[in-house]
């Protein structure tokens, strides 16, 4: 019935028979993309909020840099991180190249701008009056900022998901700095995207398709949860 | 104040429209030339994957004066090591000159995938170096003709410190035995490529099943694997061509070479399910012809001071 259906069938079998390698690679992907997204939140949300609420000399330049970050070609990120961590590079002595840490660093630079830029948009779209009123009612500066972030939480959530999506679907950069290395059938630095590429190269379409299906499923589950959450928030908003 | 705000909103609206327009213009500018000029000279993209590279096409035909020949695509699936060596940059233009009716698209993948592309009919002709897998391919009826083209050789490279003390050995399987005994870091392509198959054959010859933390797999091409080996100060089996072309960026040294077991035979195979069977046959006949063989035999002398491949079409292997 052709290579397409065959590989899907075999992929489903691989998933249900609990092929150890598939799960190791999946776990590595989630771990790396998850860590990068978390770090991206820690850095991106404050920067985005700050840029949304403050106007200062050089604001335009800063906002432009952030938006360039949105279009940052991942391979370029990979190349920079690779040369930084290379043995001949400035951070070479740390010996981080071809480790999960190296991949987290690369994916951080991919996820953080996305989170920061969407945060900026979300926070900026909260009416100014909300903050002014809160401060008028005696809220401190910090409390009022927190309130504005809370108001923008639906957009923030979308930003975090977009950042995670960018990180987990990235191939070029993680291939360069991670190396897709395995030891005797056990995964060391392979992710679902790099393993998919490597498996296609070998003509092992079934295994490649298994990773493809997991990535699709993941996208579906996350989008579903996000949409549910957004609907929930909106409903509560209408009721109050 | 309200007016000012409205104006500001309008201005930002206009900016948005301008940005959208700009994107549209760029998209059109990219899309139009291929649609507009009518000729089949589209920028070559390959269906296989993003990393596949395409040999530059010669556009020698004068645009208006010559009658345009109906061009057909000819898909040549070959190995990353051949592509990385730069051989196609010489061969494909020469072939295009002899057979202007074909637009050659080179898909550079591992031998494993190249054979798979032949199996599914996604390639018309293959140039690969995985003898055992090739014979199986032919036995299964996926190929039509198979001819020897050339050979090159593999080398065992490693760091200058040479932890396994294999430098100067003349027997590849002895060297592998020493690497395993010393548990010196070894990177395997692990991608079912011709190089990987050769590596597996040598381990088999040595009677060793490599396993342990010292034996790591990259699943990537030769160039990437050499980079990883270099960065991690490990050993690997590489084809001489890729090693020489990357030598400047590597601190790896050739530790073992010259063993007969390290020779690497290339075959050209025409595909049974090809979309362009005539093109495949033309390519096969061309690459084993005297002019093409001479091109192969002189390739690399200028850049590396030594030929990278030895042509041996029609000779007993």
């Amino acid at each position: 019935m052709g290579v397409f259906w065959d590989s899907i069938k075999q992929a489903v079998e691989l998933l249900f028979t609990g092929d150890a390698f598939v799960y190791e690679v999946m776990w590595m992907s989630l771990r790396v993309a998850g860590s990068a997204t978390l770090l991206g939140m820690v850095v991106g949300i404050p920067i985005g909020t700050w840029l949304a609420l403050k106007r200062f000399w050089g604001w335009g330049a800063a906002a432009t840099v952030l938006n360039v970050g949105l279009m940052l070609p991942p391979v370029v990120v990979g190349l920079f991180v690779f040369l930084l961590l290379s043995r001949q590079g400035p951070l070479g002595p740390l010996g981080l190249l071809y480790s999960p840490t190296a991949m987290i660093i690369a994916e951080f630079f991919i996820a953080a701008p996305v989170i920061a830029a969407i945060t900026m948009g979300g926070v900026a779209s909260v009416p100014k009056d909300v903050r002014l009123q809160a401060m008028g009612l005696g809220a401190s500066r910090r409390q009022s900022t927190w309130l504005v972030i809370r108001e923008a939480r639906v957009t923030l959530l979308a930003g975090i998901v977009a950042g995670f999506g960018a990180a987990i679907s990235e191939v070029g950069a993680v291939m360069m700095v991670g190396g897709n290395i395995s030891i005797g059938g056990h995964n060391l630095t392979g992710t679902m995207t790099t393993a998919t590429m490597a498996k296609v190269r070998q003509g092992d379409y079934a295994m490649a398709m298994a990773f493809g299906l997991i990535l699709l499923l993941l996208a579906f589950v996350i989008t579903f949860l996000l949409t549910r959450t957004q609907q929930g928030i909106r409903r509560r908003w209408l009721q109050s | 104040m309200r007016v000012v705000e409205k104006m500001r909103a309008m201005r930002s609206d206009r900016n948005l429209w301008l940005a959208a327009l700009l994107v549209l213009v760029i998209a059109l500018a990219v899309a139009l030339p291929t649609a507009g000029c009518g000729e089949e000279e589209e920028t070559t993209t390959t269906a296989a994957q993003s990393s596949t590279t395409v040999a530059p096409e010669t556009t020698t035909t004068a645009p208006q004066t010559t009658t345009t020949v109906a061009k057909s695509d000819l898909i040549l699936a070959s190995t990353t090591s051949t592509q990385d060596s730069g051989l196609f940059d010489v061969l494909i233009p020469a072939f295009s000159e002899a057979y202007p009716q074909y637009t050659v698209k080179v898909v550079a993948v591992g031998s494993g995938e190249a054979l798979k592309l032949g199996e599914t009919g996604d390639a018309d002709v293959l140039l690969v170096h995985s003898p055992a897998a090739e014979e199986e391919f032919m036995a299964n009826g996926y190929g039509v003709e198979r001819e020897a083209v050339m050979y090159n050789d593999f080398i065992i490279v490693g760091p200058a410190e040479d932890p396994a003390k294999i430098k100067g050995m003349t027997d590849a399987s002895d060297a592998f035995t020493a690497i395993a005994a010393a548990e010196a870091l070894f990177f395997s392509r692990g991608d079912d490529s011709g190089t990987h198959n050769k590596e597996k054959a040598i381990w088999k010859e040595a009677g060793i099943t490599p396993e342990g933390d010292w034996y790591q797999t990259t699943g990537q091409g030769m160039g990437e694997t050499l980079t990883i080996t270099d960065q991690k100060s490990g050993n690997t089996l590489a084809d001489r061509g890729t090693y020489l072309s990357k030598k400047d960026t590597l601190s790896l040294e050739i530790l073992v070479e010259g063993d007969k077991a390290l020779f690497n035979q290339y075959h050209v195979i025409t595909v049974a399910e090809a979309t362009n069977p005539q093109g495949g046959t033309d390519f096969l006949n061309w690459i084993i012809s005297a002019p093409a063989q001479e091109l192969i035999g002189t390739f690399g002398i200028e850049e590396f001071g030594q030929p990278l491949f030895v042509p041996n079409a029609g000779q007993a292997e």
Side-chain angles (χ1 to χ4, degrees), chain B residues 151-218:
Chain B
Y151 67 86
N152 67 344
D153 69 333
F154 290 110
I155 49 181
I156 301 172
V157 297
E161 307 88 71
D162 188 17
K165 301 276 165 282
I166 56 170
K167 193 175 176 111
M169 282 189 178
T170 50
D171 189 292
S173 61
D174 285 354
F176 271 30
T177 309
I179 288 173
E183 303 211 332
L185 196 54
F186 186 96
F187 285 94
S188 167
R189 293 268 301 269
D191 60 352
D192 254 344
S193 61
T195 313
H196 181 218
N197 284 335
K198 177 64 94 181
E199 183 214 311
K200 284 194 287 192
I202 299 173
W203 285 119
K204 204 171 168 191
E205 175 80 29
I208 293 169
T209 314
E211 52 194 359
D213 281 353
W214 59 275
Y215 185 76
Q216 309 197 348
T217 305
T218 66

Side-chain angles (χ1 to χ4, degrees), chain A residues 120-200:
Chain A
M120 184 172 88
V123 172
S125 68
V126 174
K128 224 180 192 158
D129 302 349
V130 172
R131 192 155 181 252
L132 291 176
Q133 202 161 23
M135 282 169 84
L137 289 170
S140 72
R141 200 161 258 281
R142 181 175 301 185
Q143 283 171 326
S144 70
T145 306
W146 183 240
L147 183 75
V148 171
I149 293 177
R150 265 182 59 90
E151 288 300 314
R153 64 189 180 279
V154 177
T155 318
L156 247 65
L157 203 61
I160 293 163
V161 170
F164 181 78
I168 202 159
S169 60
E170 205 289 319
V171 203
V174 279
M175 192 70 136
M176 248 184 270
V177 304
N180 190 46
I181 297 170
S182 59
I183 296 179
H186 287 284
N187 183 45
L188 201 66
T189 61
T191 65
M192 285 191 278
T193 51
T194 62
T196 303
M197 264 190 68
K199 290 296 171 192
V200 169

Side-chain angles (χ1 to χ4, degrees), chain A residues 28 32 77-79 81-82 85 96-107 170-182 187-191 194-195, chain B residues 187 216-220 224 228 231-232:
Chain A
M28 176 60 67
V32 169
V77 173
L79 184 64
V81 176
F82 172 76
L85 299 181
L96 284 178
L97 199 59
Y98 307 125
S99 69
T101 313
M103 297 195 285
I104 292 173
I105 295 173
E107 288 192 357
E170 205 289 319
V171 203
V174 279
M175 192 70 136
M176 248 184 270
V177 304
N180 190 46
I181 297 170
S182 59
N187 183 45
L188 201 66
T189 61
T191 65
T194 62
Chain B
F187 285 94
Q216 309 197 348
T217 305
T218 66
Q220 296 193 63
E224 294 90 335
I228 293 172
Q231 291 289 334
K232 292 271 198 183

